Amino acid sequence: MNVINRLLPISLLALILWVPGKAQNQSYFADAKTGILKRNLQDAYRKNDYYTQIDILEELLKRKPEKVNWQFKLARAYDESRNYQPAMDHYSKTYYADPKKYAVCLFHMGRIMKTREQYQMAGVYFDRFIKEYREQKDSKYYRNWAKAELGGIELAMAEDTSKRQANVVPLAGNINKAHIEFSPVILDSTTFWYTSLPSDTIVYRYENTLDPPEVPLQQVFLAQKQGQEWENAGLAPIPLNELGDNIGSLALSPDKQRLYFTRCSYNWQRKISCKLYVCHMEGGQWGEPELLDGQINLDNYTSTHPTVGPSSKPDRDVIYFTSDRPGGKGGNDIWYFRYRISKNKYEKPRNCGNKVNTPQDEITPHFDVPSHRLYFSSEGRQSIGGFDVFYTVGERSKWLGKAENAGTQLNSPLDDLYYMLFDDRETGLLVSNRDGSIALKHPHCCDDLFYVQWKNLIRLAIEGEITDKKDNKLAGVELVLYSQDSIDGEELILNRVTADENGNFNVRLEENIDYRIQFEKEGYFSEEVKVSTIGKTESDTLFRNVKLARIPDEEIIIPNILYDFDDASLTSQAKTAIDTSIYQILIHNPQIIVEISSHTDSKGTHAYNEHLSQQRAESVVKYLRSKGIDKERMQPKGYGETQPIAPNVFTDGSDNPAGRAKNRRTAFRVIGQMPVDVEYEDF
């Protein structure tokens, strides 16, 4: 399916109809010669104008009803325009006219049955399709897709009403019109932007020009909440509305200093092409729109649906977007690129990977910053029907397992897009053509904004106090929240927050995550707390108080590291001592550089003691390297007997065994910090 043109709001979803020459009715097609109709049909295909395709194909079939290929094309045109009943009728006629050649109709008939929630009948069609569709070049592609559709049927029929529920209703007020409303951008609890075509009638364009003055444009509007209803407050005060072009999706950076948006037009092939732009906030005003560079906007490919998330690396935006560019998993994928804020530099886009993308289409991503979740819509996974909202936790191409369906509480049997939450985390917005949307040409033609109200919401948090070892409250401590991926064992940074001036913290936690929370402050050793929200079914606040130790200037002795006589090899007891001390410190403080020193007592020559102590220090470094510690973070140093911390002999010259034992020690001292790691050399 050509989803970029079917669901990318530009002309077709807005029901802007192309007609040859002047605006005319069906008599034009009835009077036209067959050759002219075929040429007009090809032009309608180039423009993805499904409504003109339908009109022409209906006329052609009146003249030659035996043309099964036209029957199939008519079914596809109705399907792409989301007019499902006539699509079903024509798929059925096509299939029974030539079952072997058009077995793919069974797949599409199963899809349409899902939109009606006739899941058992849909399953019959998909099962039959899998059995019959075996010899075609694309059989593997469609059969795998059909299996995913069957999985979605199981999901839909196994709805658990005991879980938290969402009430999804058309947005109350005057926002929704007969055309489409899409791409909301939440500004605060009572304000959001959205894109719309301000017309309640079908709009016609003329073939001899692309943008005649009488054709309204998709523009960005401001919505404000008045009581319990949302009102259209006019055009949003942003320069996008002054471009004289159709505006697609848009998104704000987390700091609200950059506005990314899509601008769509027809390319030289007369096909819809969308490109990404950005506006920067300058002195409290939005600057002029800038087209992002060519590595992001590839010629002859579409880039659209931007959303912006934070990066685990400082000084960066991560911009996620939808594109049909080459190198993806198939269809339209979700990609990302990073923007280095201080250098005003963009990196090359990369694919978000197969934990997000499928061989089918993934669109309308939204990055939810508080939960570090990427919400997006997909038709290639187990869906209730049409496009469902899915989510996964992570960043860029590092995700905690494959995406999960947001569930029957949120998703409908039709298309569900652009899901996002307000700051209260209990309400949100969704774009859908489900029941309740306003129909202009036929049921489910047009997307509207829906209001989401979650019930029985589970609230989870961790709070506590941070002090030093003397119980003095510490301000400015940063909490870094990690989650470990149970599939490949890789940790992901989910959030960074800073405790208040009194060392107090209260941090929201998401459901079903094993957390490792690291507490960091310059000049102090880091500490960690591990908590889990897996299996939590009720709201809960976990309490943890944390003490941080100041990094001393002097050496820190590692206890219980003993060696055999005249030997630098580590004993099993020594390895255990390292594992529970210096190794843990280096793991939890990945930025520090340490000197690892070894000392002897005064027995033996200076040269012998220095050599032996150097070997022993190096044996500790070698063991730590074997456990994954970077060699650049450790400097071995043998001091021999030159730095005693206790007398080797008493004042009367007799031997002091206790003093010698103290001098035979292994210690470490923090001597510096590693430079900030940059993942990509060109960025």
Side-chain angles (χ1 to χ4, degrees):
M1 295 185 181
N2 194 340
V3 71
I4 285 293
N5 296 294
R6 180 165 62 89
L7 286 179
L8 264 183
I10 168 69
S11 63
L12 304 176
L13 264 187
L15 300 181
I16 298 176
L17 305 186
W18 290 80
V19 295
K22 299 180 180 180
Q24 300 175 41
N25 57 29
Q26 278 297 113
S27 64
Y28 171 85
F29 299 115
D31 296 337
K33 294 181 178 180
T34 299
I36 294 176
L37 290 181
K38 289 181 179 180
R39 287 196 295 272
N40 285 334
L41 182 61
Q42 292 304 313
D43 188 57
Y45 281 134
R46 284 196 301 271
K47 298 168 182 173
N48 292 288
D49 178 359
Y50 305 118
Y51 297 103
T52 299
Q53 292 173 31
I54 290 168
D55 289 341
I56 294 174
L57 286 165
E58 292 276 17
E59 177 59 33
L60 288 173
L61 279 170
K62 289 179 182 178
R63 302 178 186 187
K64 293 186 177 182
E66 72 279 4
K67 295 284 288 186
V68 181
N69 184 44
W70 288 350
Q71 191 79 250
F72 179 69
K73 289 182 177 180
L74 182 57
R76 296 295 300 126
Y78 274 120
D79 196 353
E80 295 285 8
S81 68
R82 301 195 286 188
N83 194 350
Y84 296 120
Q85 182 56 56
M88 187 73 180
D89 295 339
H90 289 288
Y91 279 134
S92 180
K93 291 178 182 178
T94 303
Y95 172 73
Y96 288 108
D98 192 342
K100 185 174 181 179
K101 183 176 180 180
Y102 291 101
V104 72
C105 291
L106 294 170
F107 172 80
H108 295 301
M109 292 160 76
R111 284 181 37 257
I112 292 173
M113 282 297 177
K114 286 182 71 175
T115 68
R116 300 175 176 177
E117 298 183 87
Q118 296 180 14
Y119 293 116
Q120 291 183 339
M121 182 58 69
V124 170
Y125 281 119
F126 287 127
D127 286 334
R128 188 172 174 183
F129 169 76
I130 291 171
K131 292 177 182 178
E132 294 187 20
Y133 203 74
R134 292 183 175 274
E135 299 178 1
Q136 288 78 359
K137 292 182 180 179
D138 57 1
S139 61
K140 182 179 179 181
Y141 170 85
Y142 271 107
R143 283 158 56 84
N144 287 339
W145 190 356
K147 291 175 183 178
E149 294 284 2
L150 285 169
I153 290 174
E154 293 181 9
L155 178 66
M157 297 180 70
E159 179 178 356
D160 185 356
T161 57
S162 66
K163 293 183 179 180
R164 70 183 189 189
Q165 297 179 348
N167 185 30
V168 183
V169 297
L171 194 71
N174 68 350
I175 300 298
N176 290 323
K177 301 292 185 181
H179 277 278
I180 55 168
E181 288 71 39
F182 64 99
S183 190
V185 176
I186 293 174
L187 303 178
D188 54 47
S189 61
T190 60
T191 314
F192 67 85
W193 295 332
Y194 67 100
T195 305
S196 181
L197 183 84
S199 176
D200 282 330
T201 61
I202 295 176
V203 178
Y204 286 89
R205 284 185 173 176
Y206 303 97
E207 191 177 73
N208 59 352
T209 180
L210 288 178
D211 290 305
E214 64 270 28
V215 176
L217 297 172
Q218 289 174 176
Q219 294 180 292
V220 182
F221 292 85
L222 176 67
Q224 292 182 331
K225 193 172 186 179
Q226 305 291 337
Q228 298 301 312
E229 295 191 345
W230 290 86
E231 301 297 328
N232 181 332
L235 290 173
I238 49 179
L240 281 60
N241 288 320
E242 302 169 6
L243 297 177
D245 209 342
N246 285 289
I247 303 302
S249 302
L250 65 157
L252 275 172
S253 61
D255 61 6
K256 299 185 178 181
Q257 295 301 298
R258 289 161 299 285
L259 174 61
Y260 298 90
F261 69 97
T262 300
R263 195 174 178 180
C264 300
S265 59
Y266 283 84
N267 64 17
W268 65 276
Q269 296 175 311
R270 307 282 282 178
K271 293 182 179 179
I272 294 173
S273 177
C274 298
K275 296 186 183 298
L276 291 174
Y277 290 72
V278 65
C279 291
H280 292 266
M281 182 65 73
E282 301 169 354
Q285 301 291 326
W286 289 110
E288 290 298 313
E290 303 171 15
L291 176 67
L292 296 184
D293 64 32
Q295 64 179 348
I296 296 169
N297 290 306
L298 295 182
D299 289 340
N300 302 322
Y301 296 96
T302 279
S303 297
T304 187
H305 297 160
T307 184
V308 193
S311 173
S312 56
K313 303 283 184 182
D315 189 38
R316 292 162 174 83
D317 283 342
V318 182
I319 299 92
Y320 303 87
F321 67 106
T322 297
S323 180
D324 58 351
R325 63 199 299 125
K329 306 301 177 183
N332 295 284
D333 278 6
I334 296 174
W335 298 71
Y336 75 91
F337 59 89
R338 293 192 300 177
Y339 170 61
R340 187 71 176 268
I341 299 171
S342 61
K343 295 185 177 181
N344 191 28
K345 184 177 180 181
Y346 294 90
E347 72 170 348
K348 182 180 178 181
R350 290 171 168 83
N351 193 276
C352 284
N354 58 14
K355 291 182 179 179
V356 170
N357 294 310
T358 69
Q360 286 74 45
D361 291 309
E362 282 71 41
I363 58 174
T364 63
H366 172 71
F367 196 92
D368 184 65
V369 175
S371 66
H372 224 74
R373 282 183 176 182
L374 180 71
Y375 289 99
F376 62 96
S377 295
S378 173
E379 67 173 357
R381 298 182 178 277
Q382 296 182 357
S383 71
I384 309 303
F387 278 88
D388 272 11
V389 175
F390 290 78
Y391 68 88
T392 185
V393 177
E395 179 184 315
R396 296 183 291 139
S397 60
K398 299 177 181 179
W399 309 101
L400 299 184
K402 290 186 177 180
E404 295 185 33
N405 192 298
T408 55
Q409 316 293 336
L410 184 66
N411 288 309
S412 73
L414 289 127
D415 293 323
D416 300 297
L417 316 162
Y418 292 105
Y419 174 61
M420 61 190 63
L421 287 166
F422 286 97
D423 288 343
D424 62 9
R425 317 300 292 169
E426 294 183 357
T427 57
L429 295 173
L430 180 72
V431 173
S432 182
N433 68 327
R434 65 177 65 192
D435 291 344
S437 60
I438 300 173
L440 178 58
K441 189 171 177 65
H442 56 75
H444 312 304
C445 69
C446 309
D447 292 316
D448 280 347
L449 285 162
F450 284 74
Y451 190 69
V452 181
Q453 174 74 57
W454 286 101
K455 301 176 181 179
N456 305 320
L457 189 70
I458 297 175
R459 293 184 177 274
L460 301 170
I462 181 170
E463 68 176 53
E465 181 184 67
I466 310 168
T467 62
D468 63 15
K469 294 296 184 180
K470 297 181 179 179
D471 293 329
N472 297 310
K473 296 180 179 180
L474 292 179
V477 178
E478 185 176 43
L479 285 69
V480 185
L481 281 70
Y482 295 86
S483 177
Q484 184 167 341
D485 190 333
S486 60
I487 294 178
D488 56 26
E490 185 173 5
E491 284 192 326
L492 302 176
I493 296 178
L494 302 183
N495 201 2
R496 293 178 183 268
V497 297
T498 303
D500 67 18
E501 65 276 7
N502 295 315
N504 297 315
F505 63 91
N506 187 306
V507 182
R508 175 187 170 86
L509 303 177
E510 297 300 320
E511 297 175 63
N512 298 316
I513 292 178
D514 283 323
Y515 283 96
R516 182 174 73 84
I517 306 175
Q518 188 149 306
F519 296 78
E520 300 177 353
K521 181 176 173 63
E522 186 176 355
Y524 289 80
F525 287 121
S526 299
E527 288 290 340
E528 73 170 32
V529 168
K530 292 183 178 181
V531 296
S532 178
T533 60
I534 293 178
K536 292 279 188 181
T537 58
E538 297 180 354
S539 297
D540 191 15
T541 298
L542 308 175
F543 296 90
R544 299 288 190 277
N545 291 329
V546 177
K547 292 182 180 294
L548 300 185
R550 183 178 290 277
I551 298 175
D553 294 330
E554 64 271 10
E555 70 175 18
I556 300 171
I557 297 173
I558 307 173
N560 300 319
I561 297 186
L562 304 176
Y563 301 90
D564 293 332
F565 177 73
D566 194 29
D567 191 356
S569 301
L570 293 173
T571 65
S572 59
Q573 182 182 8
K575 291 179 180 179
T576 299
I578 293 171
D579 290 345
T580 57
S581 58
I582 179 62
Y583 174 69
Q584 296 297 324
I585 291 173
L586 290 170
I587 286 293
H588 299 153
N589 298 269
Q591 77 284 3
I592 64 173
I593 301 172
V594 298
E595 177 190 86
I596 295 178
S597 60
S598 183
H599 304 263
T600 68
D601 61 21
S602 60
K603 288 184 177 181
T605 67
H606 172 71
Y608 171 81
N609 287 335
E610 187 176 53
H611 176 72
L612 180 61
S613 63
Q614 182 67 30
Q615 286 186 312
R616 288 176 171 176
E618 289 175 356
S619 70
V620 175
V621 170
K622 182 179 180 180
Y623 177 68
L624 288 168
R625 286 184 62 189
S626 74
K627 295 178 71 66
I629 303 300
D630 188 346
K631 67 178 181 179
E632 301 297 327
R633 299 179 58 202
M634 301 176 290
Q635 296 183 12
K637 178 66 175 177
Y639 286 97
E641 79 283 7
T642 62
Q643 294 187 1
I645 59 173
N648 289 294
V649 297
F650 291 112
T651 55
D652 62 2
S654 61
D655 193 56
N656 182 2
R660 291 187 183 279
K662 291 180 179 180
N663 291 330
R664 296 190 298 271
R665 68 195 187 277
T666 298
F668 74 93
R669 181 166 57 91
V670 177
I671 59 174
Q673 289 195 339
M674 293 288 288
V676 176
D677 177 43
V678 177
E679 185 171 348
Y680 304 114
E681 291 183 0
D682 62 347
F683 195 66

